Amino acid sequence: MTVVKSTISDSARQVTGNALQSTLVDLLGLSLIGKQAHWNIVGPRFRSIHLQLDEVVAAAREFADTVAERASALGISPDGRPETVASAFTLPSPKDGWVRDVDVVEVMVEALEAAIARLRERIDETEKPDPVTQDLLIAITAELEKQRWMFAAENVSHEG
């Protein structure tokens, strides 16, 4: 079997590969969290949050594909198999069954915050080994921060 030759050094490829793989797992898991919440949300804000969840899922899936293709382009085999995602995934998830709209918002904010924190670590880790991957991670972080902001604004009370 022919293996794609990397354009970066072996040591840079190792760091970059780890960053891309863990980002892939987070993004695939985030898309599953979003869909689980999407199917099970109940409450007065059902429709608006239901649609907002679709935006997160679409972004996470698109970024997952971009991350996996970046890994492949560097000669790193991406692993998005269900068993890999299940064993490595650590972001907060909604409980099973119906979930109130307020709780969906909270879990999405928590999951996005955790994913963003991890991405920021990977941004630092990839600065020297592969600035191209770092740039990709920065773009993903910007979009997830926007999504986090939109969810966080949902649960702000109207006091005063």
Side-chain angles (χ1 to χ4, degrees):
M1 174 179 8
T2 304
V3 177
V4 176
K5 179 152 174 44
S6 181
T7 57
I8 60 178
S9 71
D10 286 344
S11 62
R13 190 168 81 81
Q14 180 69 37
V15 170
T16 302
N18 290 341
L20 289 168
Q21 179 59 39
S22 55
T23 300
L24 179 61
V25 167
D26 282 354
L27 290 168
L28 291 172
L30 192 58
S31 74
L32 294 171
I33 289 170
K35 271 303 177 186
Q36 180 67 20
H38 174 89
W39 297 320
N40 288 286
I41 185 172
V42 294
R45 295 179 298 157
F46 164 83
R47 180 151 175 75
S48 64
I49 297 170
H50 182 81
L51 295 173
Q52 191 175 350
L53 288 163
D54 275 340
E55 291 178 27
V56 172
V57 170
R61 287 179 176 171
E62 184 176 336
F63 282 133
D65 189 52
T66 302
V67 164
E69 288 177 352
R70 176 71 186 149
S72 293
L74 294 175
I76 302 159
S77 176
D79 188 353
R81 295 173 300 151
E83 59 270 23
T84 301
V85 174
S87 69
F89 187 71
T90 61
L91 298 179
S93 298
K95 63 181 179 75
D96 64 341
W98 304 114
V99 185
R100 301 282 312 161
D101 52 4
V102 158
D103 297 329
V104 166
V105 169
E106 285 180 16
V107 78
M108 289 307 298
V109 168
E110 290 172 8
L112 287 162
E113 283 176 356
I116 290 163
R118 291 168 53 103
L119 275 162
R120 287 189 169 277
E121 291 172 6
R122 295 177 200 129
I123 287 167
D124 289 342
E125 292 167 2
T126 57
E127 180 181 11
K128 292 216 185 275
D130 186 23
V132 176
T133 294
Q134 182 194 43
D135 188 54
L136 172 61
L137 299 178
I138 290 168
I140 294 168
T141 302
E143 177 60 27
L144 294 186
E145 285 178 336
K146 181 180 102 175
Q147 293 294 335
R148 186 221 155 270
W149 158 60
M150 291 181 168
F151 275 105
E154 286 280 350
N155 277 354
V156 174
S157 65
H158 299 277
E159 297 174 1

